[in-house]
Amino acid sequence: MTVLVIGSIALDTLETPFGKAEELLGGAGSYFSLAASVLTPVQLVGVVGNDMPERHLETLRSHGVDLQGVQRVQNGKTFRWSGRYEYDMNVAHTLDTQLNVFGDFKPNLPESYRQTEYVYLANITPGLQLEVLKQVNNPKFVGLDSMNFWIGKPDTKKDLTEVIKRVTAVFMNDSEIRQYTGKYNLFEAARYVLSLGPQVVLMKKGEHGAIAVSREGTFVAAAYPLETVKDPTGAGDSFAGGFMGQLAHSGDTSWAGIKRAIVFGCVIASFAVETFGTDGLMQMTRDAIEQRYEILRQSTMFEALTPSTATVQIA
Ligand code: AMP
């Protein structure tokens, strides 16, 4: 099955303790598409300016990503993001965000996108995420990501809440879910988000993996143990690409299927962070993915925490 994604398509300028690079292909939509397309066909919705090098779009196309939903604005500038990571690479410091052509983007989905069953609303203005969701007929599974940039402003936070009420899975990292809910404890925060309607909350914890909370239980997945981490940009989008790609490929949206897809997400994210920009995603092979999946699968406790065991009180 195909996955449809709306999200930023960017030119990124990055700095980590291991290097610097300017105007790389980036954006949540691009990372997600490259990550998911190794597992399942991807339809991308977004917009670029006339300054987006054709070779970047060709990279996406050569990975089988359908770009019919990507508009090119002739007199516009592409979305730009620049960020810096210090030695604690779990925390991204945004230096600059320029929405540019995303500022007045009006998505109009091609007919062939409107029946797609798996939809991912990658990081972009919540109003645009909602607009895309309205144009898809009856999707089976909708994932949603966001970030502090949108959670921190009252009007975009309000739109984000409207989107959360309509999706199946919410992806946030620990600081984002704390900021959104105002609750420090992650399980309490996750339960609050579940009370708005989603079936599962996926909390990304960088090098410590991910925690999923649903009405059926709690699941803790470890990150793949890497010896080299060069650039964490796009880790969350790649995790989501692996997750959604596996879900769409298997068609299994049960709790067991979700748990397996989370492990796929951890594997795909490991390729993304090993090298700068999108290089790791471009180089990964199906065989290497299977090998890392098998290693993580063997050390994962798939049945560990049910709602009753996860909520035992000490006194
Ligand atoms: P991640 O590291 O998974 O959070 O994703 C990083 C990617 O998100 C970068 O390639 C950026 O271009 C993109 N990005 C950063 N800030 C925003 C934003 N406010 N809206 C949409 N995309 C963003």
Side-chain angles (χ1 to χ4, degrees):
M1 285 291 183
T2 302
V3 180
L4 181 153
V5 54
I6 158 100
S8 52
I9 307 170
L11 291 171
D12 281 354
T13 294
L14 311 170
E15 186 179 338
T16 83
F18 306 102
K20 270 171 134 174
E22 285 185 11
E23 306 256 305
L24 297 176
L25 169 65
S30 311
Y31 276 100
F32 178 94
S33 297
L34 290 171
S37 60
V38 70
L39 300 165
T40 211
V42 177
Q43 298 167 328
L44 176 59
V45 179
V47 62
V48 295
N50 57 359
D51 53 350
M52 173 57 95
E54 187 51 40
R55 69 190 152 83
H56 287 338
L57 298 180
E58 198 40 50
T59 296
L60 291 162
R61 262 188 225 109
S62 68
H63 281 78
V65 180
D66 180 345
L67 300 185
Q68 275 182 80
V70 177
Q71 296 173 22
R72 194 191 263 278
V73 176
Q74 278 318 318
N75 295 312
K77 276 183 79 181
T78 298
F79 177 101
R80 276 175 173 69
W81 180 73
S82 84
R84 193 183 67 226
Y85 300 85
E86 287 162 14
Y87 271 95
D88 175 2
M89 287 200 283
N90 284 320
V91 185
H93 301 280
T94 292
L95 303 176
D96 189 29
T97 303
Q98 298 172 22
L99 272 186
N100 295 335
V101 286
F102 267 102
D104 29 45
F105 176 48
K106 304 266 175 298
N108 181 16
L109 299 202
E111 218 35 63
S112 57
Y113 283 34
R114 292 176 185 247
Q115 309 298 332
T116 304
E117 292 189 327
Y118 294 84
V119 175
Y120 188 67
L121 309 170
N123 191 12
I124 196 62
T125 328
L128 279 176
Q129 295 176 318
L130 201 53
E131 189 47 48
V132 165
L133 197 50
K134 281 186 192 153
Q135 294 181 34
V136 187
N137 301 321
N138 213 6
K140 177 172 173 185
F141 195 101
V142 183
L144 164 72
D145 187 27
S146 195
M147 74 179 293
N148 54 5
F149 192 78
W150 312 112
I151 299 169
K153 300 177 198 161
D155 51 340
T156 46
K157 183 175 178 187
K158 192 162 155 272
D159 287 350
L160 179 61
T161 301
E162 288 311 306
V163 191
I164 290 177
K165 288 179 183 167
R166 292 168 166 79
V167 304
T168 325
V170 173
F171 294 68
M172 283 188 182
N173 66 30
D174 36 13
S175 66
E176 290 159 355
I177 196 164
R178 285 180 174 131
Q179 184 188 12
Y180 177 75
T181 62
K183 296 181 192 304
Y184 182 80
N185 181 279
L186 293 181
F187 298 100
E188 204 192 335
R191 273 200 302 278
Y192 173 77
V193 174
L194 290 179
S195 76
L196 298 174
Q199 284 169 27
V200 57
V201 176
L202 290 137
M203 295 178 286
K204 300 167 283 180
K205 294 181 63 63
E207 64 183 320
H208 305 297
I211 299 178
V213 179
S214 78
R215 288 176 192 80
E216 292 184 64
T218 298
F219 176 63
V220 181
Y224 185 82
L226 285 176
E227 307 228 338
T228 313
V229 175
K230 288 208 173 126
D231 172 17
T233 313
D237 310 309
S238 307
F239 170 80
F243 174 86
M244 291 292 297
Q246 169 60 19
L247 220 56
H249 171 74
S250 68
D252 182 358
T253 56
S254 67
W255 180 228
I258 286 174
K259 290 191 276 189
R260 273 192 295 274
I262 290 171
V263 179
F264 264 91
C266 292
V267 168
I268 304 279
S270 73
F271 289 100
V273 301
E274 255 179 331
T275 57
F276 242 79
T278 52
D279 289 358
L281 293 179
M282 294 199 266
Q283 287 154 13
M284 71 187 171
T285 61
R286 203 55 225 224
D287 275 358
I289 294 169
E290 292 296 340
Q291 272 177 24
R292 287 192 182 181
Y293 178 79
E294 197 44 33
I295 290 169
L296 271 192
R297 189 192 64 76
Q298 284 177 19
S299 58
T300 300
M301 297 203 289
F302 281 98
E303 303 306 332
L305 298 166
T306 63
S308 52
T309 55
T311 55
V312 168
Q313 300 291 320
I314 291 174

